[in-house]
């Protein structure tokens, strides 16, 4: 008879299991596309600059010192490190969920049952031991261990832990991406600072040239060779150039403070060597092949790990449709008198129970979580594919930019040489009255602008060198 009851119970469990397993909603999942072009344009290069450490790539000792300081003090980077610690603790939390929960329990109490109740009448009739009635009120002391454990049949808890591990590794890649961007931002700001120093030097030299021209115009005006208008126009040009130096100085201050902010410190002077800026040559960049981006770019690896976690979340959500098996147990001592508390076996208590539960009706909450997990997985697929596409476009843009800037710089260098020579020519012609003062002014203005543009182009070349290194995935290792 007892066996028949057991068989019936097992049969009910099997029917419940079959029902819940078959009632799992079907989903349309999306698989990520990892395909990338075989190369960048017609490049056959397989060597990748991203393999170089930032110390090997950036050789300016002042810049290296700034990057070192930033990697220690930058607040955003330190915030990211705490996010990594949070993710590591989540792994511990998930790991603990599929291990047994064991606790110790101690209790003491007193119980007075009404005399005219079934329990009260029973206790009045039963002696606690021969010749001794039940105490009234009845004390109760207990000391023991209890344990609960959800048997992870469908690997729901294990998959949740694996998802937490993937997210932890994702935060590590997120830190690497922050490091890459931080190094690039400092390097770009540093080269901008060098460019501003050079522009300020150009302005000061131009002020000297224009001041000498103003003296000549004043002498010619005294000799009645030019009018007061020429003098005023030259004075205005000198004043305009002098005001320009304060605009540049303000930009220098802001750029220095931007670097200091990235270094996590209050404003102070940034050590640098600006004399060599004009002779800086961009590093030779080896782009490698696009497939290497998947291994080098921290943001791509971060998106890939987030996708892996999202796939595991679907398995976790799906497992909630299936029956769950829980086991609980306890062992200890319980007695009405502390002197009897540890008497074995009379005060010994123990229990062992198992329960199995499965959702049958009103599973809307579970379905919603399941559908949401799938939608987030599809989002993660699109984010992964977008990250790969963005990385490829960044590299392709910077490779083209480096090539075009090199050609532009060569032409602008020739333009500066031509306009620098024209300043002396225009001054000589002006002295011999073969050119008017407007030609001199325009020539000086064009020469100043061309020198500024040359410095800007050099800065863009250095920035492109920094950006391509970051785009290829360099800087974090």
């Amino acid at each position: 008879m007892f066996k028949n009851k057991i068989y019936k119970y097992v049969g009910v469990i099997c029917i419940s299991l079959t029902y819940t397993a078959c009632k799992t909603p079907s989903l349309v999942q999306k698989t990520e596309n990892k395909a990338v072009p075989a190369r960048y344009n017609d490049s056959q290069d397989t060597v990748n600059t991203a393999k170089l450490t930032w110390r090997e790539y950036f050789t300016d000792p002042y810049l290296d010192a700034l990057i070192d300081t930033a990697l220690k003090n930058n607040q955003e980077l330190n915030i990211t490190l705490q996010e990594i610690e949070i993710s590591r603790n989540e792994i511990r939390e998930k790991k603990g969920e599929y291990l047994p929960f064991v606790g110790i329990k101690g209790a003491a109490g007193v119980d007075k049952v009404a005399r005219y109740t079934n329990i009260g009448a029973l206790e009045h009739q039963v002696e606690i031991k021969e010749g001794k009635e039940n105490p009234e009120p009845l004390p109760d002391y207990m000391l023991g261990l209890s344990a609960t454990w959800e048997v992870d049949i469908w690997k729901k808890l294990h998959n949740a832990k694996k998802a937490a591990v993937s997210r932890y590794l994702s935060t590590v890649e997120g830190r690497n991406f922050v490091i890459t961007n931080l190094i690039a931002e400092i390097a770009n700001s540093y080269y901008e600072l060098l460019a501003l120093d050079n522009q300020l030097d150009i302005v000061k030299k131009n002020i000297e040239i224009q001041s000498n021209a103003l003296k000549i115009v004043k002498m010619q005006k005294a000799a009645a060779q030019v009018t007061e208008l020429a003098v005023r126009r030259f004075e205005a040009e000198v004043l305009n150039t002098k005001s320009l130096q304060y605009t540049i100085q303000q930009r220098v201050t802001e750029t220095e403070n931007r670097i200091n902010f990235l270094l996590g410190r209050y404003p102070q002077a940034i050590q640098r060597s600006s004399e060599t800026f004009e002779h800086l040559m961009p590093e030779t960049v080896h782009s490698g092949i696009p497939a290497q981006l998947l291994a080098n770019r921290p943001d791509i690896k971060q998106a890939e790990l987030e996708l892996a976690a999202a796939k595991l979340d679907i398995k976790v959500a799906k497992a909630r449709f299936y029956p769950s098996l829980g086991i609980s147990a306890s062992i200890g001592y319980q007695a009405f008198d502390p002197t009897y508390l540890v008497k074995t076996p009379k005060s010994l208590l123990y229990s062992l129970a198992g329960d199995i539960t499965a959702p049958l009706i009103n599973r809307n909450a579970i379905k919603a979580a399941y559908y949401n997990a799938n939608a987030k997985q599809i989002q993660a697929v699109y984010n992964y594919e977008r990250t790969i596409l963005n990385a490829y476009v960044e590299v392709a843009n910077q490779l083209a930019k480096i090539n075009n800037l090199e050609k532009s710089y060569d032409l602008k260098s020739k333009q500066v040489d031509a306009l620098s020579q024209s300043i002396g020519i225009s001054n000589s012609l002006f002295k011999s009255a073969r050119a008017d003062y407007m030609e001199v002014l325009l020539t000086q203005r064009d020469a100043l602008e061309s020198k500024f543009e040359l410095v800007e182009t050099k800065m863009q070349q250095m920035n492109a060198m920094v950006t391509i290194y970051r785009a290829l995935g360099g800087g974090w290792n």
Side-chain angles (χ1 to χ4, degrees), residues 251-264:
R251 288 182 60 191
V252 167
T253 300
E254 292 176 358
T255 306
E256 283 187 319
N257 289 343
R258 187 195 313 141
I259 293 175
N260 283 314
F261 176 77
L262 295 173
L263 269 57

Side-chain angles (χ1 to χ4, degrees), residues 193-207:
L193 197 56
L194 299 187
L196 290 171
D197 288 344
N198 275 261
Q199 287 182 340
L200 192 59
D201 186 57
I202 291 170
V203 167
K204 290 177 179 178
K205 291 178 180 178
N206 220 62
I207 290 172

Side-chain angles (χ1 to χ4, degrees), residues 331-351:
I331 186 171
Y333 292 92
Q334 188 172 13
F336 65 89
D337 190 321
T339 58
Y340 299 150
L341 190 60
V342 292
K343 288 187 177 296
T344 306
K346 294 182 179 180
S347 296
L348 182 67
L349 65 88
Y350 58 86
S351 67

Side-chain angles (χ1 to χ4, degrees), residues 148-348:
T148 59
W149 181 37
E150 181 181 349
V151 183
D152 194 18
I153 302 174
W154 315 109
K155 295 187 177 181
K156 176 179 68 177
L157 302 177
H158 278 75
N159 285 330
K161 180 215 168 186
K162 289 169 67 177
V165 171
S166 291
R167 289 195 168 92
Y168 163 72
L169 296 174
S170 173
T171 58
V172 173
E173 295 299 338
R175 177 207 63 181
N176 294 338
F177 193 52
V178 170
I179 290 174
T180 298
N181 287 322
L182 176 62
I183 290 173
E185 192 170 354
I186 291 173
N188 280 331
S189 296
Y190 180 77
Y191 290 128
E192 181 181 350
L193 197 56
L194 299 187
L196 290 171
D197 288 344
N198 275 261
Q199 287 182 340
L200 192 59
D201 186 57
I202 291 170
V203 167
K204 290 177 179 178
K205 291 178 180 178
N206 220 62
I207 290 172
E208 184 179 353
I209 293 172
Q210 291 176 348
S211 297
N212 291 333
L214 177 60
K215 290 178 183 178
I216 295 172
V217 171
K218 286 181 177 179
M219 291 172 58
Q220 289 186 330
K221 195 262 182 179
Q225 293 180 351
V226 296
T227 64
E228 182 67 17
L229 178 60
V231 175
R232 295 305 177 191
R233 290 298 298 267
F234 270 88
E235 283 181 342
E237 194 69 18
V238 173
L239 293 171
N240 178 65
T241 307
K242 285 183 177 179
S243 70
L244 186 58
Q245 66 182 331
Y246 296 106
T247 302
I248 297 174
Q249 285 175 353
Q250 177 61 28
R251 288 182 60 191
V252 167
T253 300
E254 292 176 358
T255 306
E256 283 187 319
N257 289 343
R258 187 195 313 141
I259 293 175
N260 283 314
F261 176 77
L262 295 173
L263 269 57
R265 68 188 188 188
Y266 287 97
Q268 57 183 274
I270 300 295
Q271 287 188 314
R272 56 195 183 271
S273 177
S274 302
E275 293 80 7
T276 59
F277 179 76
E278 185 180 349
H279 304 292
L280 282 176
M281 292 297 295
E283 294 286 337
T284 301
V285 174
H286 299 283
S287 61
I289 57 176
Q292 292 171 329
L293 290 174
L294 304 183
N296 294 338
R297 290 265 303 213
D299 56 334
I300 293 179
K301 291 194 284 186
Q302 183 181 20
E304 184 178 14
L305 289 164
E306 289 288 349
L307 175 57
K311 290 179 178 178
L312 290 168
D313 287 342
I314 294 178
K315 294 182 179 180
V316 173
K318 186 176 183 179
R320 293 179 62 191
F321 288 100
Y322 302 146
S324 61
L325 174 62
I327 297 175
S328 60
S330 63
I331 186 171
Y333 292 92
Q334 188 172 13
F336 65 89
D337 190 321
T339 58
Y340 299 150
L341 190 60
V342 292
K343 288 187 177 296
T344 306
K346 294 182 179 180
S347 296
L348 182 67

Side-chain angles (χ1 to χ4, degrees), residues 87 141 179 236 436 458:
S87 297
Y141 302 94
I179 290 174
D436 60 33
K458 173 65 74 174

